[in-house]
Amino acid sequence: MTALSRRRALTAAAALGASAVAGKAFAQQTVTLRLHQFLPPSATIPARAIVPWAQKLEAESGGRLKLQLFHSMSMGGSPPQLFDQARDGVVDMVWTVLGYTPGRFNKAEVFELPFMSGKAEPASRAFHEFVQTHAADEFRQVHLLAAHTHGPGLFHSKFPISGLDSLKGKKVRGGSRVINNMLLKLGATPVGMPVPAVTEALTKGVLDATTIPWEVTPSLKIADLVKHHTTFAGPTGLFTQTFALVMNRNSYDKLPADLKAVLDKHSGVEAAAFFGRAMDEGDKVGLEAAQKAGNSIVTLNAAETQRWKSTAAAVEADWIKEVKAKGIDGAKLVADARALIAKHTG
């Protein structure tokens, strides 16, 4: 080997060694991601889903993938701005209610229709699969980690609800445009607002009642503010809201491959089911709090429930007509959503 050849070989070996060291250093880097959401840390999803989910990521990454949690909109903005905060890279991840941004999730909205689903775990599996199959384009600006639902929605009111006539003229909080339309059809005066505002609105008389699932009632002190809770016969709730855990695309793309693999392992339908399961467990806690407070808890019988279903059916017809004008086959989406719920419930 000539002197020139030896120099070239040594230079190449040194470059290869430097590359290997750099690659090893890159693979060993620690990444901290900021997650922003709108509820207090004691609420069901932060306490029972986000925190244990973050702990799993950290443990399985050997402490190299960490989540810095920002609760109660502590990084600024309002709940309807969360999705855009993830899209724009203001934060790395958000957990948000899809219904807070009307008109953005036209296909995913189908799961908000009245009496669509019941328990959150199977419904969340169905919803995540539905999004992947039918509504992935609505999440193209972010990296979707999990899409899920809450459990059966019901009324929490300052007045007893014995039938449809009970709602006439009452100011009732709705969490999305679909739910507000349902309340209007049922005779109420809908008041749209994010869930963190409900406690103050009930206290000040802005609301006579609210529609939320059991799980969020303890963190909002609902059992102390109202004395009546009304649900319905059968496995489905009056309504459902949809949620998503999403990530900034650039934040995801620049993760080292091994950390990306850890995150991928804890994303998707099983992550959706994990969040749904937390909602179901939270429902039990909320119900127990109302029982402990001595509140009235009423389940309307099958005949009365059917009256509500018949009246609320107009909401589904309205929605199918609205999305048809946007080139979406709403009737097919309704059928597919119900089929997926049946698949995962059965």
Side-chain angles (χ1 to χ4, degrees):
M1 181 181 287
T2 65
L4 178 61
S5 296
R6 281 196 299 273
R7 282 197 301 274
R8 285 176 176 169
L10 288 169
T11 300
L16 184 61
S19 175
V21 170
K24 185 176 180 181
F26 180 69
Q28 293 302 313
Q29 76 179 93
T30 296
V31 176
T32 300
L33 301 172
R34 298 159 302 158
L35 189 157
H36 197 199
Q37 61 89 25
F38 59 93
L39 288 175
S42 60
T44 298
I45 287 297
R48 292 173 175 261
I50 292 175
V51 167
W53 182 73
Q55 290 170 341
K56 285 182 183 180
L57 296 179
E58 185 168 350
E60 293 194 22
S61 66
R64 292 176 43 239
L65 184 57
K66 301 176 183 292
L67 263 61
Q68 189 175 6
L69 306 181
F70 295 89
H71 306 291
S72 303
M73 300 305 301
S74 56
M75 290 193 74
S78 61
Q81 294 172 325
L82 281 167
F83 189 88
D84 286 344
Q85 288 183 358
R87 181 196 66 187
D88 299 339
V90 175
V91 295
D92 300 297
M93 295 178 180
V94 303
W95 175 72
T96 188
V97 176
L98 299 181
Y100 285 172
T101 49
R104 172 174 265 165
F105 302 100
N106 295 301
K107 300 170 190 172
E109 232 177 23
V110 67
F111 270 70
E112 295 177 14
L113 294 174
F115 298 101
M116 176 61 74
S117 64
K119 290 287 186 181
E121 182 177 353
S124 294
R125 288 181 182 277
F127 183 54
H128 190 90
E129 185 175 340
F130 176 91
V131 167
Q132 289 180 310
T133 305
H134 297 292
D137 59 310
E138 296 181 347
F139 295 84
R140 64 187 179 278
Q141 296 176 317
V142 296
H143 178 74
L144 177 66
L145 299 167
H148 72 97
T149 75
H150 62 52
L154 67 150
F155 286 107
H156 310 270
S157 58
K158 295 179 178 180
F159 58 94
I161 297 175
S162 56
L164 275 172
D165 295 341
S166 305
L167 287 184
K168 188 174 182 181
K170 299 294 187 181
K171 296 171 291 184
V172 185
R173 178 261 178 181
S176 72
R177 73 177 199 94
V178 172
I179 295 168
N180 285 338
N181 187 32
M182 176 191 70
L183 292 172
L184 196 63
K185 293 284 195 294
L186 294 172
T189 299
V191 182
M193 66 177 66
V195 75
V198 169
T199 302
E200 184 178 2
L202 282 170
T203 301
K204 293 185 174 180
V206 174
L207 294 175
D208 300 308
T210 185
T211 54
I212 50 175
W214 281 117
E215 59 83 17
V216 78
T217 57
S219 62
L220 299 177
K221 310 298 183 187
I222 298 300
D224 298 327
L225 298 172
V226 307
K227 293 302 174 188
H228 303 275
H229 311 270
T230 307
T231 187
F232 299 84
T236 59
L238 174 68
F239 67 94
T240 306
Q241 283 205 258
T242 57
F243 306 80
L245 181 66
V246 302
M247 185 172 181
N248 175 265
R249 278 201 167 276
N250 187 53
S251 296
Y252 176 78
D253 290 340
K254 69 184 183 184
L255 284 176
D258 61 334
L259 295 189
K260 194 178 288 186
V262 171
L263 186 58
D264 289 347
K265 178 182 175 182
H266 294 287
S267 303
V269 70
E270 290 305 322
F274 178 72
F275 275 64
R277 210 155 44 242
M279 288 291 204
D280 287 334
E281 290 302 312
D283 279 346
K284 296 175 186 176
V285 175
L287 173 59
E288 288 169 3
Q291 290 170 332
K292 188 175 180 180
N295 290 356
S296 168
I297 302 169
V298 173
T299 299
L300 299 180
N301 64 31
E304 184 61 29
T305 296
Q306 187 55 51
R307 283 186 66 211
W308 290 68
K309 287 183 176 180
S310 299
T311 303
V315 179
E316 184 174 310
D318 285 350
W319 183 82
I320 290 171
K321 184 178 179 180
E322 286 172 9
V323 297
K324 184 178 181 180
K326 300 175 182 179
I328 298 170
D329 187 347
K332 183 179 186 306
L333 293 183
V334 169
D336 288 352
R338 290 205 169 104
L340 283 170
I341 291 167
K343 166 189 167 182
H344 287 288
T345 302

